[in-house]
Amino acid sequence: MDELMFYHTGQPFRLESGEQLPGLTIAYHTYGTLNERRDNVVWICHHLTANSDVASWWPGMIGPGAVINPDQHFIVCANILGSCYGSTGPLSQHPATGRPYYQDFPFITIRDMVGAHILLRRHLGIESIYLLVGGSMGGYQALEWACLEKDRIRRLFLLATSPAETAWGIAAHTAQRLAIEADGTWLQPSPLAGSQGLKAARAVAMLLYRNYQIMVRNQTDTDVSKLDHFRASSYINYQGDKLVKRFNAYSYWILSKAMDTHNLARNRAESPEAVLRGMHTPTLLIGIHNDLLCPLQEQQRMASNMPNATLVAIDSEYGHDGFMVESAKITPVLRNWLA
């Protein structure tokens, strides 16, 4: 089915920080049917502000006739812990108070998100994942999962991602959180707290998700006498308003902190490279030449250390967002690799 479903557990869920959630709800979508051999699972880990309805935000990659096809695959996508799209997060009710957590939601990591995915995997009776997919922050989750349950992951497909959050990424996230924290409504006990700050944070992010070429091509004004109300300004305002309508500042803040924690080496090895050298899962890496947020050199770093990795670089005028947009370029690469 392709409708939103929920898995609930009343068991305490221990977080990497040592804190625990008294229970957990995981929102998820599935598409297609688990076959008799139970070996056709494609699990997709989503990026920062996405939801579990992957078919709606990754057109061309998911669906009938696509390379990830519900007629052939049992496709699963779970909303991440800390989000505002159905899984336990800052807007969820705190059992002790009967009110939403808001700023009291505990600190979480990418590893915690994967721990929640594993609970859902067990609930669904899935023992083996044919293909684990993740782009950007979704790639962080897929890499962690491949470390935590390496014998269950048969193949990895990673796009525009890295084995540890970079200083560049942490700086970008910090700038976005500063924008949220500067909003005078931030930390108020309301789902609307920090909304204007979230809009500003989205503006910062858009400069890294896209690039110079597409902004200049699409948002340059032809009226040389104009003094205000420029197209580029209107575009950034529009993107900020659009995110505010569908997302939440508390979730954005906590998830950006979680991204900063991403490091495969934590409590495992002396470096991410050392962990990568021990990852023998067949892996396809897609990098984007002009990705400003997670540059191609990060995927090259992975490919040079993973024993069974294939790296393909594509061009995209959309920059980092190309991993969601360039399905026509990505599809034949994935199809050939799987074959």
PDB file of all heavy atoms in Angstrom, residues 6-25:
ATOM      1  N   PHE A   6       1.594   3.649  10.748  1.00  0.00           N
ATOM      2  CA  PHE A   6       2.311   3.960  11.976  1.00  0.00           C
ATOM      3  C   PHE A   6       2.660   2.682  12.732  1.00  0.00           C
ATOM      4  O   PHE A   6       1.842   1.770  12.842  1.00  0.00           O
ATOM      5  CB  PHE A   6       1.472   4.860  12.892  1.00  0.00           C
ATOM      6  CG  PHE A   6       1.145   6.198  12.290  1.00  0.00           C
ATOM      7  CD1 PHE A   6      -0.030   6.380  11.578  1.00  0.00           C
ATOM      8  CD2 PHE A   6       2.015   7.276  12.432  1.00  0.00           C
ATOM      9  CE1 PHE A   6      -0.338   7.612  11.018  1.00  0.00           C
ATOM     10  CE2 PHE A   6       1.716   8.503  11.881  1.00  0.00           C
ATOM     11  CZ  PHE A   6       0.542   8.679  11.170  1.00  0.00           C
ATOM     12  N   TYR A   7       3.871   2.643  13.230  1.00  0.00           N
ATOM     13  CA  TYR A   7       4.295   1.587  14.150  1.00  0.00           C
ATOM     14  C   TYR A   7       4.485   2.230  15.524  1.00  0.00           C
ATOM     15  O   TYR A   7       5.198   3.226  15.654  1.00  0.00           O
ATOM     16  CB  TYR A   7       5.596   0.948  13.673  1.00  0.00           C
ATOM     17  CG  TYR A   7       6.270   0.092  14.725  1.00  0.00           C
ATOM     18  CD1 TYR A   7       5.642  -1.024  15.265  1.00  0.00           C
ATOM     19  CD2 TYR A   7       7.552   0.416  15.174  1.00  0.00           C
ATOM     20  CE1 TYR A   7       6.250  -1.794  16.232  1.00  0.00           C
ATOM     21  CE2 TYR A   7       8.179  -0.360  16.136  1.00  0.00           C
ATOM     22  CZ  TYR A   7       7.532  -1.457  16.672  1.00  0.00           C
ATOM     23  OH  TYR A   7       8.135  -2.214  17.636  1.00  0.00           O
ATOM     24  N   HIS A   8       3.833   1.679  16.520  1.00  0.00           N
ATOM     25  CA  HIS A   8       3.914   2.206  17.888  1.00  0.00           C
ATOM     26  C   HIS A   8       4.562   1.157  18.791  1.00  0.00           C
ATOM     27  O   HIS A   8       4.246  -0.028  18.707  1.00  0.00           O
ATOM     28  CB  HIS A   8       2.522   2.535  18.450  1.00  0.00           C
ATOM     29  CG  HIS A   8       1.720   3.471  17.605  1.00  0.00           C
ATOM     30  ND1 HIS A   8       1.898   4.835  17.624  1.00  0.00           N
ATOM     31  CD2 HIS A   8       0.717   3.234  16.721  1.00  0.00           C
ATOM     32  CE1 HIS A   8       1.041   5.396  16.785  1.00  0.00           C
ATOM     33  NE2 HIS A   8       0.316   4.442  16.224  1.00  0.00           N
ATOM     34  N   THR A   9       5.450   1.601  19.649  1.00  0.00           N
ATOM     35  CA  THR A   9       5.969   0.731  20.704  1.00  0.00           C
ATOM     36  C   THR A   9       5.992   1.503  22.016  1.00  0.00           C
ATOM     37  O   THR A   9       6.382   2.671  22.046  1.00  0.00           O
ATOM     38  CB  THR A   9       7.383   0.207  20.382  1.00  0.00           C
ATOM     39  OG1 THR A   9       7.873  -0.516  21.516  1.00  0.00           O
ATOM     40  CG2 THR A   9       8.356   1.340  20.068  1.00  0.00           C
ATOM     41  N   GLY A  10       5.529   0.853  23.059  1.00  0.00           N
ATOM     42  CA  GLY A  10       5.540   1.476  24.378  1.00  0.00           C
ATOM     43  C   GLY A  10       6.809   1.186  25.153  1.00  0.00           C
ATOM     44  O   GLY A  10       6.946   1.590  26.310  1.00  0.00           O
ATOM     45  N   GLN A  11       7.744   0.479  24.516  1.00  0.00           N
ATOM     46  CA  GLN A  11       9.002   0.158  25.186  1.00  0.00           C
ATOM     47  C   GLN A  11       9.925   1.376  25.187  1.00  0.00           C
ATOM     48  O   GLN A  11       9.984   2.112  24.204  1.00  0.00           O
ATOM     49  CB  GLN A  11       9.697  -1.016  24.480  1.00  0.00           C
ATOM     50  CG  GLN A  11       8.932  -2.323  24.542  1.00  0.00           C
ATOM     51  CD  GLN A  11       8.765  -2.805  25.975  1.00  0.00           C
ATOM     52  OE1 GLN A  11       9.718  -2.836  26.753  1.00  0.00           O
ATOM     53  NE2 GLN A  11       7.536  -3.168  26.331  1.00  0.00           N
ATOM     54  N   PRO A  12      10.652   1.602  26.252  1.00  0.00           N
ATOM     55  CA  PRO A  12      11.597   2.727  26.274  1.00  0.00           C
ATOM     56  C   PRO A  12      12.633   2.584  25.158  1.00  0.00           C
ATOM     57  O   PRO A  12      13.090   1.482  24.861  1.00  0.00           O
ATOM     58  CB  PRO A  12      12.255   2.622  27.653  1.00  0.00           C
ATOM     59  CG  PRO A  12      11.279   1.849  28.484  1.00  0.00           C
ATOM     60  CD  PRO A  12      10.623   0.888  27.547  1.00  0.00           C
ATOM     61  N   PHE A  13      12.956   3.704  24.548  1.00  0.00           N
ATOM     62  CA  PHE A  13      13.925   3.727  23.454  1.00  0.00           C
ATOM     63  C   PHE A  13      15.135   4.527  23.925  1.00  0.00           C
ATOM     64  O   PHE A  13      15.056   5.743  24.106  1.00  0.00           O
ATOM     65  CB  PHE A  13      13.308   4.358  22.205  1.00  0.00           C
ATOM     66  CG  PHE A  13      14.221   4.378  21.007  1.00  0.00           C
ATOM     67  CD1 PHE A  13      14.502   3.223  20.304  1.00  0.00           C
ATOM     68  CD2 PHE A  13      14.793   5.571  20.581  1.00  0.00           C
ATOM     69  CE1 PHE A  13      15.338   3.241  19.198  1.00  0.00           C
ATOM     70  CE2 PHE A  13      15.627   5.602  19.481  1.00  0.00           C
ATOM     71  CZ  PHE A  13      15.899   4.433  18.780  1.00  0.00           C
ATOM     72  N   ARG A  14      16.235   3.821  24.153  1.00  0.00           N
ATOM     73  CA  ARG A  14      17.437   4.469  24.669  1.00  0.00           C
ATOM     74  C   ARG A  14      18.199   5.169  23.562  1.00  0.00           C
ATOM     75  O   ARG A  14      18.459   4.599  22.506  1.00  0.00           O
ATOM     76  CB  ARG A  14      18.341   3.443  25.364  1.00  0.00           C
ATOM     77  CG  ARG A  14      19.530   4.085  26.092  1.00  0.00           C
ATOM     78  CD  ARG A  14      20.287   3.050  26.907  1.00  0.00           C
ATOM     79  NE  ARG A  14      21.433   3.631  27.604  1.00  0.00           N
ATOM     80  CZ  ARG A  14      21.352   4.274  28.766  1.00  0.00           C
ATOM     81  NH1 ARG A  14      20.172   4.407  29.364  1.00  0.00           N
ATOM     82  NH2 ARG A  14      22.441   4.775  29.334  1.00  0.00           N
ATOM     83  N   LEU A  15      18.564   6.404  23.810  1.00  0.00           N
ATOM     84  CA  LEU A  15      19.274   7.223  22.837  1.00  0.00           C
ATOM     85  C   LEU A  15      20.776   7.149  23.067  1.00  0.00           C
ATOM     86  O   LEU A  15      21.238   6.794  24.162  1.00  0.00           O
ATOM     87  CB  LEU A  15      18.800   8.674  22.932  1.00  0.00           C
ATOM     88  CG  LEU A  15      17.296   8.887  22.699  1.00  0.00           C
ATOM     89  CD1 LEU A  15      16.890  10.294  23.098  1.00  0.00           C
ATOM     90  CD2 LEU A  15      16.935   8.610  21.242  1.00  0.00           C
ATOM     91  N   GLU A  16      21.526   7.513  22.065  1.00  0.00           N
ATOM     92  CA  GLU A  16      22.981   7.464  22.168  1.00  0.00           C
ATOM     93  C   GLU A  16      23.495   8.378  23.274  1.00  0.00           C
ATOM     94  O   GLU A  16      24.536   8.117  23.886  1.00  0.00           O
ATOM     95  CB  GLU A  16      23.604   7.848  20.826  1.00  0.00           C
ATOM     96  CG  GLU A  16      25.060   7.459  20.692  1.00  0.00           C
ATOM     97  CD  GLU A  16      25.664   7.816  19.344  1.00  0.00           C
ATOM     98  OE1 GLU A  16      24.936   8.308  18.464  1.00  0.00           O
ATOM     99  OE2 GLU A  16      26.876   7.605  19.190  1.00  0.00           O
ATOM    100  N   SER A  17      22.782   9.446  23.576  1.00  0.00           N
ATOM    101  CA  SER A  17      23.184  10.400  24.615  1.00  0.00           C
ATOM    102  C   SER A  17      23.055   9.820  26.021  1.00  0.00           C
ATOM    103  O   SER A  17      23.575  10.395  26.989  1.00  0.00           O
ATOM    104  CB  SER A  17      22.331  11.662  24.522  1.00  0.00           C
ATOM    105  OG  SER A  17      20.977  11.361  24.852  1.00  0.00           O
ATOM    106  N   GLY A  18      22.324   8.708  26.166  1.00  0.00           N
ATOM    107  CA  GLY A  18      22.044   8.130  27.474  1.00  0.00           C
ATOM    108  C   GLY A  18      20.625   8.411  27.931  1.00  0.00           C
ATOM    109  O   GLY A  18      20.111   7.728  28.818  1.00  0.00           O
ATOM    110  N   GLU A  19      19.985   9.437  27.342  1.00  0.00           N
ATOM    111  CA  GLU A  19      18.574   9.693  27.644  1.00  0.00           C
ATOM    112  C   GLU A  19      17.721   8.624  26.967  1.00  0.00           C
ATOM    113  O   GLU A  19      18.213   7.836  26.142  1.00  0.00           O
ATOM    114  CB  GLU A  19      18.170  11.084  27.146  1.00  0.00           C
ATOM    115  CG  GLU A  19      18.854  12.234  27.844  1.00  0.00           C
ATOM    116  CD  GLU A  19      18.280  13.564  27.403  1.00  0.00           C
ATOM    117  OE1 GLU A  19      17.176  13.907  27.853  1.00  0.00           O
ATOM    118  OE2 GLU A  19      18.938  14.252  26.594  1.00  0.00           O
ATOM    119  N   GLN A  20      16.444   8.615  27.301  1.00  0.00           N
ATOM    120  CA  GLN A  20      15.560   7.674  26.637  1.00  0.00           C
ATOM    121  C   GLN A  20      14.191   8.273  26.417  1.00  0.00           C
ATOM    122  O   GLN A  20      13.743   9.142  27.182  1.00  0.00           O
ATOM    123  CB  GLN A  20      15.455   6.365  27.411  1.00  0.00           C
ATOM    124  CG  GLN A  20      14.778   6.425  28.738  1.00  0.00           C
ATOM    125  CD  GLN A  20      14.691   5.040  29.393  1.00  0.00           C
ATOM    126  OE1 GLN A  20      15.473   4.134  29.109  1.00  0.00           O
ATOM    127  NE2 GLN A  20      13.725   4.866  30.278  1.00  0.00           N
ATOM    128  N   LEU A  21      13.556   7.833  25.357  1.00  0.00           N
ATOM    129  CA  LEU A  21      12.164   8.170  25.089  1.00  0.00           C
ATOM    130  C   LEU A  21      11.301   7.052  25.670  1.00  0.00           C
ATOM    131  O   LEU A  21      11.630   5.875  25.513  1.00  0.00           O
ATOM    132  CB  LEU A  21      11.924   8.296  23.585  1.00  0.00           C
ATOM    133  CG  LEU A  21      12.585   9.489  22.901  1.00  0.00           C
ATOM    134  CD1 LEU A  21      12.598   9.300  21.384  1.00  0.00           C
ATOM    135  CD2 LEU A  21      11.849  10.785  23.263  1.00  0.00           C
ATOM    136  N   PRO A  22      10.191   7.389  26.348  1.00  0.00           N
ATOM    137  CA  PRO A  22       9.381   6.353  26.985  1.00  0.00           C
ATOM    138  C   PRO A  22       8.662   5.442  26.007  1.00  0.00           C
ATOM    139  O   PRO A  22       8.188   4.369  26.372  1.00  0.00           O
ATOM    140  CB  PRO A  22       8.388   7.166  27.829  1.00  0.00           C
ATOM    141  CG  PRO A  22       8.345   8.507  27.179  1.00  0.00           C
ATOM    142  CD  PRO A  22       9.703   8.748  26.618  1.00  0.00           C
ATOM    143  N   GLY A  23       8.570   5.850  24.791  1.00  0.00           N
ATOM    144  CA  GLY A  23       7.935   5.063  23.743  1.00  0.00           C
ATOM    145  C   GLY A  23       8.257   5.684  22.411  1.00  0.00           C
ATOM    146  O   GLY A  23       8.922   6.728  22.341  1.00  0.00           O
ATOM    147  N   LEU A  24       7.795   5.076  21.339  1.00  0.00           N
ATOM    148  CA  LEU A  24       8.184   5.533  20.014  1.00  0.00           C
ATOM    149  C   LEU A  24       7.063   5.284  19.021  1.00  0.00           C
ATOM    150  O   LEU A  24       6.398   4.252  19.060  1.00  0.00           O
ATOM    151  CB  LEU A  24       9.442   4.763  19.571  1.00  0.00           C
ATOM    152  CG  LEU A  24      10.333   5.379  18.511  1.00  0.00           C
ATOM    153  CD1 LEU A  24      10.890   6.716  18.978  1.00  0.00           C
ATOM    154  CD2 LEU A  24      11.490   4.420  18.204  1.00  0.00           C
ATOM    155  N   THR A  25       6.848   6.263  18.142  1.00  0.00           N
ATOM    156  CA  THR A  25       5.970   6.100  16.992  1.00  0.00           C
ATOM    157  C   THR A  25       6.795   6.342  15.740  1.00  0.00           C
ATOM    158  O   THR A  25       7.549   7.319  15.672  1.00  0.00           O
ATOM    159  CB  THR A  25       4.792   7.087  17.034  1.00  0.00           C
ATOM    160  OG1 THR A  25       3.961   6.782  18.153  1.00  0.00           O
ATOM    161  CG2 THR A  25       3.960   7.011  15.760  1.00  0.00           C
TER     162      THR A  25
END
